[in-house]
Structures are given as structure tokens and as C-alpha cells.
């Protein structure tokens, strides 16, 4: 990175280089103009709010009064003693694990079946992927209606089978799993498409070689197909973990923002929302946001590190 | 990665002939596969079918115990008439379209230009800036909500179209995906144009962009779907019902129509339809868009 001294001086006198005589100033390289619009928006809508949020988390910023006091780590110490923070983190974690497993497995089974069936792909794709194309409000309203206690379809079906009705949205021990059910139905199609794309990218001669060696369908799937799409599984898993951690929309709408029965479905982002936009405590809400961010970062970095190791191995 | 057959025959794209061994098809296995697919399809379609059936019932017959598939007094489109006349559904549909189109167009322009700058031009600090951009992939938009709201309030953009649109146009992941694609375009293609005296802007517009149509379409589709279904940010920044997008407005429907389930379901079905209908027409492009961007541009 050796640069002519005049350039270095220009940088010191600020971006405009006003102190330099025009003849001495270097033309702005054209590449900068391509990157500039994005970079400015990036600073305005990501980097600035990110730093501002961090600043807020050390202050008692509020929506309802101007000016704020520096409170140091108060927000963070209060956060660690706040049972609602812990319970919302726990809810988020249970949901993440409870939803990621079926969302990866069912997507894989769907993709293997569609790929093996071979016919009518467009139809299966439409059937499994259509829910993903619907706004979360549509999905939450439909499921709220399915989950109704007396008049809901789910309890109606259970009744036909001679089983007891379930309090899908009223029983604190069930409500979170109802959100898992809704989420699997709504978003499994995305993972299914990623898996299907991976299966279709397997070169046919690999499968033919297996057939020539007399491997049956099951054996081929287990020993050749699954190992070949392992990288996709890794990717789908991480994308799903990160998506599930961000649970908010469907839980909020399904329970009209009240956190479910006995608050059993209050994910951490909803607690941030309630603190900031209902309780007006922006500083405290920011502190919780940053603890949540740390959680996301750990998973994202772990994946990046593992992917890097796999590449160099 | 490819295993060659022994002996190496002609290209394997030929139709299956006696020379090509296929995986043996057991009719029983095939039947099992299709039954499993049929069962899954029934499960996945049931909620939608039930929503549509409910929306076509008379309001008095939605809450029968046990639930009925076909109501006694037949079907009616009354709920749709009510929802379309009373609610702002058409208005929200227009708002959603405006916001999603604007966000998609702006995201595409910003990301493609930046990706080109990072991929095909030279300037000091290029690598650093790109590293900073890639790091942005790890920042979940949800944690920016609180400071962004305060920021929009301060500059007077709360409750405006611009306030909804602007924070959604920065998608670092798309810059990353496009740059990877641009990197793979052979430099020889530019050389001829450069000898003719074309500058970077002309090369970008006449060579790189036309070659990148598939990936640009993929990015556009991905961004459009995300934006069309986005709930949290519009929900926070908008309080004027005439500016609301579909997902946000629909939540108001639930509170205003309360227990009139036929109407709630009619609203939900109408809001859910547009992209599903688009999927029927552009299935191939949408599937490719999701697969390409979802897999990081591979």
C-alpha cells in the first residue's frame, strides 16, 4: 500500500481536498463513483443506526423526553437481573431448536421425494412453496382461525378422531409449539427449494455409476446423494437457525401482541419491541438488542469459521 | 467430482437406451413415493382450502361446531364484497406494490453499481470497503429498528413512503452475490471495448449488465418477495392507514372485523394471492431466483 505522498496529504485535508491546488489533486478514480451511492446508504441505514444504538444502550434514552443521561453499564446490569430477558431468550432458543429440526428434515424429505418421483415437479413445488409467498399476516390469520378452540379445524379433526381438543393458543405449554407448527408450514418451502436445487445439480453419471454397480435407490441416496448435498445441509441449517432466532412477526400477530398465554410466547425481539415502542425505554431496548446481536454473531461466525476450515481441509 | 463410466461412452445426454443403466424402478417404491407426496400435499393445502371455504360462507355459518366443509345455505362472495368496500385493501395493495417496486429497483441499482466497483475497478481502499460491506451480512435488520425509528423521526420521514423504503434498500448480501458473479465474467470481453475507448460506465452498461441478466433477475425476485412480505419495519414506521402496506393493514382488519371470520379470511386470502398467482406464471424464474440467492449466488 505505497501511495504518492500528495495523495496521502489530500486524505489528511479531508475528502474534498480543498487545501490542495487543483493541479496537484488527483482525479477521483471512477470505481469510487460506483461504490459511493451504496456506501453512503450503508452508512446512513446500517452503520449509523448500529453505532447510535450502541450509544443509546449506555444512556437512558427515552421516546417521550428529549435529552438523555449517560448511565454507563446500568442498562446491561439491569438486563442480566431481568427475568423477562432470560425467559424471552429461553423462548427464542426453544423455538429456534424446535423449529430448525423439522424445517431442515421435512424440507430434505420433500426434496428427496420430489426428486425421486420425477414427475409433476411444478405441482409439488407450488404445493410446498406457496405458503412462503404469503405475507406473515395472512399466515397468522389463517392459523389463528385453524387454532380456535371450539370452531377451529384442528380441534374439529381431533374430535372426529375421538380425541380431546387442544388449547393451541390458550395452553401455555402448547402455544409455542403451535407457532412452530405454523412456521414449519409457512417457510419449509424455502429450504425445500434449496435442497431441490442441490439435488438437481448432482451430475447424472455419478448416479449411473452407482446403478451400474448395482446400488439400489435407498443405498444410492444414503451413500452418495446425502454426502454430496452435505454442504447444502450446512447452509440450510445455518440460514434456518438465524431465521428462527429472529422470531417475532408470527408470534406477535397470532397473539395480537400480548405474548401468548401467561407470556409463554414472548420471543426476545418482542421484548425489545415492547420495551422500546410500548414502554418508550429506547436505551434499555437497545441494550437487549445488542445482547441478541451477540448471539447471532456467535452463530454466524462459527459457521464462517467451520466453512473456512472445510474449504482448507 | 464426476465419476467416469467404464468404458467412456458418448455424452450421457442421449435418451436412455440399452447402453445406459438406470436405477431400477420398483413399482411399489414409486407408488410409496407418490402416496407420500400426495399426503404431504393434502396437509400443506388444507389450511388454504379451509381459509377459502370459510371466506365463502355466510357470516352466521362460519362458527359451527363441529366445523362444516360445506355450509347448509351454500356459498357466497358476500365477505369479499364487504372487505373490498369497507376496508382499505385495494389501497394497501397499491402501497405494497409502490414500496416493493421502489425497494427492488433501488436495491438493484445500488448493489449492481457497488458490486461492479468492487469487482472490476481499482481504487485505494476497495478491499477494505468490500470487507466492511460483507461484514454487514451479519447485522440483523431487527436490531437496527430502535435507532432507525428515532433517526426517521428526527428527519421527518416517519409515516412516509420514503421512511418505509429507504432502510430496506441496503442489502449487503446482494452486493456480495453480484460481485461473485461479476468476478466470473472473463476480462477479455472488456478488452475490445476498452481499446475502442469505452470507459467503466459504458462497459458496465453495455457488457457487464447484459451478461448478468439471470443473476439480476434472481436478486430482484428475492428482494421483491422479502419486501412484499416484510412486516416489522412498515408496522413500526407507519401509523397512517392510507399509507400501510398489505401485511400491516391486514393486522388492522383482524382488530376491526374481530369475530367476522368470513371477512377476516377473505382479507387474508386476497392478501395472500398476488405472489402465489405470480408464481404460477413465473415459476421457473422465481424458483431459480430463490435457489441462486439462497445458496449465495452459486
Amino acid at each position: 500500500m505505497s501511495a504518492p505522498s500528495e495523495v496521502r496529504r489530500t486524505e489528511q485535508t479531508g475528502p474534498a481536498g480543498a487545501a490542495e491546488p487543483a493541479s496537484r489533486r488527483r482525479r477521483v478514480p471512477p470505481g469510487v463513483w460506483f461504490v459511493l451511492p451504496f456506501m453512503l446508504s450503508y452508512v446512513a441505514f446500517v452503520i449509523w443506526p448500529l453505532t447510535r444504538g450502541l450509544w443509546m444502550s449506555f444512556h437512558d434514552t427515552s421516546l417521550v423526553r428529549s435529552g438523555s443521561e449517560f448511565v454507563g453499564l446500568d442498562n446491561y446490569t439491569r438486563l442480566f437481573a431481568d427475568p423477562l430477558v432470560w425467559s424471552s431468550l429461553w423462548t427464542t432458543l426453544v423455538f429456534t431448536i424446535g423449529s430448525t429440526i423439522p424445517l431442515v428434515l421435512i424440507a430434505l424429505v420433500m426434496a428427496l421425494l420430489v426428486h425421486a418421483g420425477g414427475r409433476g415437479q411444478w405441482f409439488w413445488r407450488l404445493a410446498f412453496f406457496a405458503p412462503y409467498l404469503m405475507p406473515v399476516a395472512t399466515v397468522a390469520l389463517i392459523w389463528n382461525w385453524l387454532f380456535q378452540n371450539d370452531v377451529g379445524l384442528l380441534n374439529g379433526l381431533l374430535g372426529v378422531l375421538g380425541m380431546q381438543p387442544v388449547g393451541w393458543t390458550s395452553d401455555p405449554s402448547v402455544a409455542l409449539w403451535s407457532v412452530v407448527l405454523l412456521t414449519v408450514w409457512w417457510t419449509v418451502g424455502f429450504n425445500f427449494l434449496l435442497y431441490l436445487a442441490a439435488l438437481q445439480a448432482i451430475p447424472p453419471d455419478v448416479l449411473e455409476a452407482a446403478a451400474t454397480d448395482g446400488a439400489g435407490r435407498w443405498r444410492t441416496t444414503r451413500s452418495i446423494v446425502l454426502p454430496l448435498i452435505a454442504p447444502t445441509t450446512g447452509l440450510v441449517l445455518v440460514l434456518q437457525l438465524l431465521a428462527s432466532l429472529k422470531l417475532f412477526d408470527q408470534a406477535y400477530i397470532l397473539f395480537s401482541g400480548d405474548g401468548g398465554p401467561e407470556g409463554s410466547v414472548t420471543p426476545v425481539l418482542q421484548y425489545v419491541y415492547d420495551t422500546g415502542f410500548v414502554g418508550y425505554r429506547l436505551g434499555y431496548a437497545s441494550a437487549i438488542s445488542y445482547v441478541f446481536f451477540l448471539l447471532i454473531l456467535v452463530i454466524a461466525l462459527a459457521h464462517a469459521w467451520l466453512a473456512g476450515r472445510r474449504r482448507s481441509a | 467430482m464426476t465419476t467416469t463410466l467404464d468404458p467412456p461412452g458418448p455424452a450421457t445426454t442421449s435418451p436412455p437406451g440399452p447402453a445406459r443403466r438406470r436405477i431400477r424402478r420398483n413399482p411399489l417404491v414409486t407408488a410409496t413415493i407418490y402416496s407420500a407426496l400426495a399426503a404431504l400435499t393434502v396437509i400443506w393445502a388444507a389450511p388454504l382450502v379451509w381459509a377459502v371455504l370459510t371466506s365463502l360462507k355466510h357470516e352466521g355459518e362460519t362458527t359451527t361446531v363441529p366445523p362444516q366443509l360445506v355450509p347448509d345455505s351454500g356459498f357466497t362472495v358476500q365477505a369479499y364484497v364487504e372487505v373490498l368496500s369497507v376496508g382499505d385493501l385495494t389501497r394497501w395493495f397499491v402501497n405494497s406494490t409502490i414500496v416493493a417496486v421502489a425497494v427492488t429497483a433501488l436495491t438493484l441499482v445500488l448493489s449492481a453499481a457497488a458490486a461492479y466497483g468492487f469487482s472490476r475497478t481499482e481504487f485505494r481502499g476497495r478491499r477494505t470497503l468490500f470487507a466492511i460491506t460483507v461484514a454487514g451480512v451479519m447485522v440483523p435488520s431487527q436490531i437496527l429498528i430502535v435507532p432507525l425509528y428515532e433517526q426517521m423521526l428526527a428527519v421527518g420521514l416517519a409515516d412516509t413512503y420514503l421512511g418505509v423504503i429507504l432502510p430496506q434498500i441496503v442489502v449487503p448480501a446482494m452486493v456480495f452475490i453480484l460481485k461473485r458473479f461479476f468476478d466470473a465474467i472473463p476480462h477479455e470481453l472488456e478488452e475490445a471495448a476498452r481499446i475502442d475507448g469505452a470507459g467503466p460506465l459504458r462497459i458496465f452498461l453495455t457488457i457487464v449488465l447484459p451478461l448478468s441478466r439471470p443473476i439480476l433477475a434472481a436478486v430482484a425476485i428475492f428482494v421483491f418477495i422479502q419486501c412484499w412480505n416484510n412486516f416489522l419495519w412498515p408496522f413500526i414506521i407507519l401509523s397512517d392507514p392510507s399509507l400501510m402496506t398489505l401485511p400491516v393493514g391486514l393486522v388492522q382488519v383482524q382488530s376491526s372485523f374481530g369475530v367476522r371470520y368470513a371477512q377476516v379470511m377473505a382479507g387474508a386470502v386476497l392478501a395472500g394471492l398476488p405472489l402465489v398467482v405470480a408464481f404460477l406464471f413465473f415459476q421457473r424464474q422465481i424458483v431459480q431466483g430463490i435457489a441462486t440467492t439462497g445458496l449465495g449466488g452459486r
Side-chain angles (χ1 to χ4, degrees):
Chain A
M1 286 296 263
S2 64
S5 60
E6 62 187 55
V7 177
R8 216 172 287 147
R9 252 211 318 282
T10 332
E11 298 224 320
Q12 279 158 8
T13 52
E20 297 282 317
S23 59
R24 297 272 308 279
R25 229 186 309 153
R26 278 258 298 269
R27 270 188 65 244
V28 177
V32 172
W33 296 115
F34 284 95
V35 175
L36 199 63
F38 172 82
M39 272 297 162
L40 289 177
S41 324
Y42 186 48
V43 168
F45 302 117
V46 177
I47 295 178
W48 166 250
L50 199 63
T51 40
R52 171 76 189 156
L54 193 60
W55 182 91
M56 278 185 191
S57 73
F58 295 109
H59 293 72
D60 60 356
T61 320
S62 159
L63 255 185
V64 283
R65 52 177 176 78
S66 54
S68 54
E69 295 277 313
F70 177 75
V71 293
L73 289 171
D74 275 11
N75 284 327
Y76 288 92
T77 47
R78 185 174 332 145
L79 177 158
F80 282 105
D82 182 347
L84 286 174
V85 167
W86 291 108
S87 67
S88 70
L89 275 172
W90 176 246
T91 301
T92 303
L93 217 56
V94 171
F95 173 84
T96 301
I97 293 164
S99 65
T100 297
I101 295 167
L103 275 164
V104 174
L105 285 180
I106 295 173
L108 176 61
V109 168
M110 279 176 171
L112 286 171
L113 287 172
V114 169
H115 192 62
R119 283 178 205 286
Q121 289 229 349
W122 73 270
F123 177 77
W124 312 120
R125 278 200 307 226
L126 177 69
F128 302 146
F129 187 64
Y132 182 83
L133 293 166
M134 299 187 183
V136 61
T138 289
V139 174
L141 294 186
I142 290 176
W143 281 86
N144 190 19
W145 174 229
L146 292 168
F147 285 144
Q148 293 291 319
N149 267 336
D150 306 324
V151 298
L153 182 67
L154 290 175
N155 280 346
L157 289 174
L158 290 179
V160 170
L161 299 171
M163 297 203 267
Q164 287 302 306
V166 173
W168 300 100
T169 52
S170 56
D171 182 341
S173 62
V174 178
L176 186 60
W177 298 103
S178 300
V179 179
V180 168
L181 191 64
L182 172 159
T183 309
V184 169
W185 178 82
W186 178 34
T187 62
V188 77
F190 184 81
N191 296 347
F192 156 75
L193 280 189
L194 294 189
Y195 266 130
L196 198 59
L199 288 174
Q200 285 164 347
I202 295 175
D205 46 8
V206 175
L207 301 178
E208 270 163 37
T212 314
D213 293 342
R217 206 196 283 255
W218 174 241
R219 181 69 208 280
T220 311
T221 302
R222 215 191 39 183
S223 317
I224 295 175
V225 174
L226 288 182
L228 277 179
I229 59 170
T232 308
T233 299
L235 188 85
V236 168
L237 194 67
V238 170
L239 287 177
Q240 190 55 59
L241 283 173
L242 294 176
S244 284
L245 279 170
K246 295 169 190 169
L247 168 69
F248 170 81
D249 301 7
Q250 61 269 47
Y252 185 88
I253 303 170
L254 190 64
F255 298 104
S256 312
D258 72 1
E262 294 172 30
S264 61
V265 193
T266 310
V268 68
L269 281 178
Q270 186 166 333
Y271 191 49
V272 170
Y273 172 86
D274 287 342
T275 309
F277 295 98
V278 182
Y280 303 137
R281 293 151 69 204
L282 296 187
Y284 192 41
S286 295
I288 304 167
S289 292
Y290 271 81
V291 171
F292 172 73
F293 183 29
L294 206 62
L295 200 69
I296 297 261
L297 266 186
V298 166
I299 291 185
L301 290 171
H303 173 243
W305 181 72
L306 283 172
R309 269 194 46 186
R310 210 180 301 137
R311 254 197 299 279
S312 60
Chain B
M1 275 284 292
T2 49
T3 334
T4 43
L5 286 170
D6 218 22
T12 50
T13 47
S14 55
R20 247 185 79 169
R21 285 289 300 274
R22 293 186 57 89
I23 295 174
R24 281 158 310 182
R25 290 207 175 265
N26 177 339
L28 193 68
V29 174
T30 310
T32 314
I33 287 173
Y34 281 113
S35 328
L37 280 172
L40 280 169
T41 305
V42 168
I43 296 171
W44 251 255
L48 294 177
V49 172
W50 184 238
V52 172
L53 287 176
T54 304
S55 69
L56 292 169
K57 288 177 183 176
H58 289 279
E59 206 58 73
E61 293 189 319
T62 53
T63 52
T64 52
V65 181
Q68 287 174 298
L69 283 178
V70 180
D72 298 333
S73 49
F75 292 110
T76 168
V77 291
Q78 191 54 36
Y80 288 89
V81 175
E82 296 276 333
V83 163
L84 286 170
S85 60
V86 179
D88 294 325
L89 215 64
T90 33
R91 166 104 236 172
W92 297 333
F93 180 84
V94 172
N95 290 341
S96 265
T97 310
I98 292 172
V99 169
V101 168
V103 167
T104 306
L106 287 166
T107 305
L108 216 51
V109 170
L110 285 185
S111 309
Y116 178 79
F118 287 134
S119 167
R120 316 295 271 195
T121 66
E122 279 293 342
F123 58 91
R124 283 188 56 217
R126 183 171 61 96
R127 290 215 164 99
T128 316
L129 287 182
F130 184 62
I132 293 171
T133 302
V134 172
V137 173
M138 307 221 177
V139 180
S141 60
Q142 289 86 348
I143 69 154
L144 304 175
I145 293 277
V146 172
L148 263 178
Y149 177 76
E150 190 209 40
Q151 194 179 330
M152 289 294 161
L153 216 54
V155 295
L157 287 180
D159 224 9
T160 62
Y161 281 131
L162 267 184
V164 183
I165 293 166
L166 289 177
Q168 297 189 62
I169 64 173
V170 181
V171 194
M174 297 302 136
V175 177
F176 176 73
I177 285 170
L178 287 169
K179 176 184 178 287
R180 267 174 65 153
F181 190 89
F182 293 167
D183 282 346
I185 296 174
H187 279 269
E188 291 76 33
L189 295 170
E190 286 177 32
E191 292 308 325
R194 194 164 290 143
I195 289 162
D196 291 345
L201 183 62
R202 225 175 80 199
I203 290 171
F204 176 59
L205 294 175
T206 60
I207 295 171
V208 174
L209 283 188
L211 284 173
S212 314
R213 261 191 215 119
I215 193 84
L216 291 170
V219 166
I221 286 166
F222 190 84
V223 171
F224 189 94
I225 293 174
Q226 296 296 325
C227 178
W228 180 269
N229 292 341
N230 193 356
F231 171 76
L232 182 58
W233 178 245
F235 175 67
I236 282 169
I237 198 77
L238 296 173
S239 45
D240 178 351
S242 68
L243 291 176
M244 281 176 182
T245 55
L246 263 180
V248 181
L250 209 55
V251 176
Q252 315 296 317
V253 168
Q254 190 186 14
S255 40
S256 59
F257 288 128
V259 292
R260 277 180 284 182
Y261 289 114
Q263 286 180 32
V264 174
M265 284 304 107
V269 168
L270 284 175
L273 271 181
L275 283 191
V276 176
V277 171
F279 188 70
L280 283 173
F281 289 102
F282 305 107
Q283 175 153 193
R284 184 179 300 267
Q285 291 85 339
I286 291 178
V287 167
Q288 239 161 7
I290 294 286
T292 318
T293 40
L295 295 166
R298 265 173 290 241

